[in-house]
Amino acid sequence: QHLEGRDSYDLRRGLAFTSLGGFWNGPCMHHIFQRLESILPQSGGFRTLVPKMCFTQLIMNPFVYLPLFYTWTGVVLGRTLTRTLEKAKREYWVTLKATWLLFIPFNVVNFSFVPVRHQAVALTGFSFVYSTTLSAIANAEHSGGGWVLDLLLGTRSRARAADTDASTRERLRSVRTGGGC
């Protein structure tokens, strides 16, 4: 949150990301990795790496993790279902692309070289970087326009730039008129 220029720590936001990470990266991924190993052993090399990658990147992330992420953080942050769905619709593809950009290379290394018993632990460590990225994407409207998106994707879309500029103008207008942020 400090990288986003925040003066204070948002405890609920920290709780949302920490609790989700503890639940997902701990028991969930441990059991998923164990099950994948029983079906597609690491000793199978490239022939088992590809199906593992396809499963995690094309099924688990888009259809399990990201919906869980938006639901979990929405509940912890006190968002309505409508606001949570709107946020997910608005950010889903960018978030999924960031997920692929970070986790495809990580999972190639994790599934190929890290012993299975340590894969969930390695994922937890790497997920700190990912969660920081995801948090910045999910809170781009409060962080000055999504600097992480610019860094990850290499460009700043005109639509997002216009949204950011409009959002910044609105926040400044609100502060000037005493409405707060």
Side-chain angles (χ1 to χ4, degrees):
Q1 294 174 16
H2 177 74
L3 292 174
E4 298 170 2
R6 290 182 178 260
D7 293 327
S8 62
Y9 181 74
D10 183 342
L11 187 60
R12 285 182 84 177
R13 182 174 157 199
L15 176 63
F17 281 85
T18 302
S19 62
L20 175 61
F23 169 73
W24 182 255
N25 291 330
C28 291
M29 291 313 296
H30 171 76
H31 291 294
I32 290 168
F33 286 166
Q34 291 296 321
R35 184 71 179 136
L36 281 174
E37 179 63 15
S38 70
I39 298 167
L40 301 163
Q42 191 175 37
S43 61
F46 188 75
R47 150 180 85 72
T48 59
L49 172 66
V50 172
K52 282 182 182 179
M53 294 296 295
C54 289
F55 176 74
T56 58
Q57 300 308 312
L58 300 177
I59 296 171
M60 292 302 294
N61 284 333
F63 299 111
V64 179
Y65 179 73
L66 288 181
L68 175 66
F69 165 76
Y70 283 107
T71 303
W72 189 292
T73 57
V75 168
V76 173
L77 295 173
R79 291 189 189 113
T80 65
L81 179 59
T82 301
R83 281 187 59 216
T84 298
L85 290 173
E86 287 170 357
K87 186 168 186 57
K89 273 189 198 177
R90 184 176 61 247
E91 298 170 0
Y92 182 84
W93 285 111
V94 168
T95 305
L96 183 59
K97 287 179 203 173
T99 301
W100 287 338
L101 184 67
L102 294 170
F103 273 100
I104 288 175
F106 170 78
N107 278 335
V108 166
V109 172
N110 198 29
F111 291 145
S112 298
F113 303 109
V114 176
V116 176
R117 68 183 177 279
H118 299 303
Q119 287 178 354
V121 174
L123 174 72
T124 300
F126 185 78
S127 288
F128 177 77
V129 173
Y130 173 71
S131 293
T132 301
T133 303
L134 201 57
S135 178
I137 290 170
N139 292 283
E141 68 267 17
H142 302 296
S143 66
W147 60 272
V148 165
L149 299 176
D150 298 335
L151 180 66
L152 283 173
L153 303 176
T155 61
R156 186 171 177 196
S157 73
R158 288 184 184 161
R160 197 164 44 75
D163 288 346
T164 299
D165 293 343
S167 174
T168 301
R169 282 193 303 273
E170 182 59 37
R171 280 187 293 196
L172 288 173
R173 187 178 307 116
S174 178
V175 170
R176 282 189 215 123
T177 60
C181 288

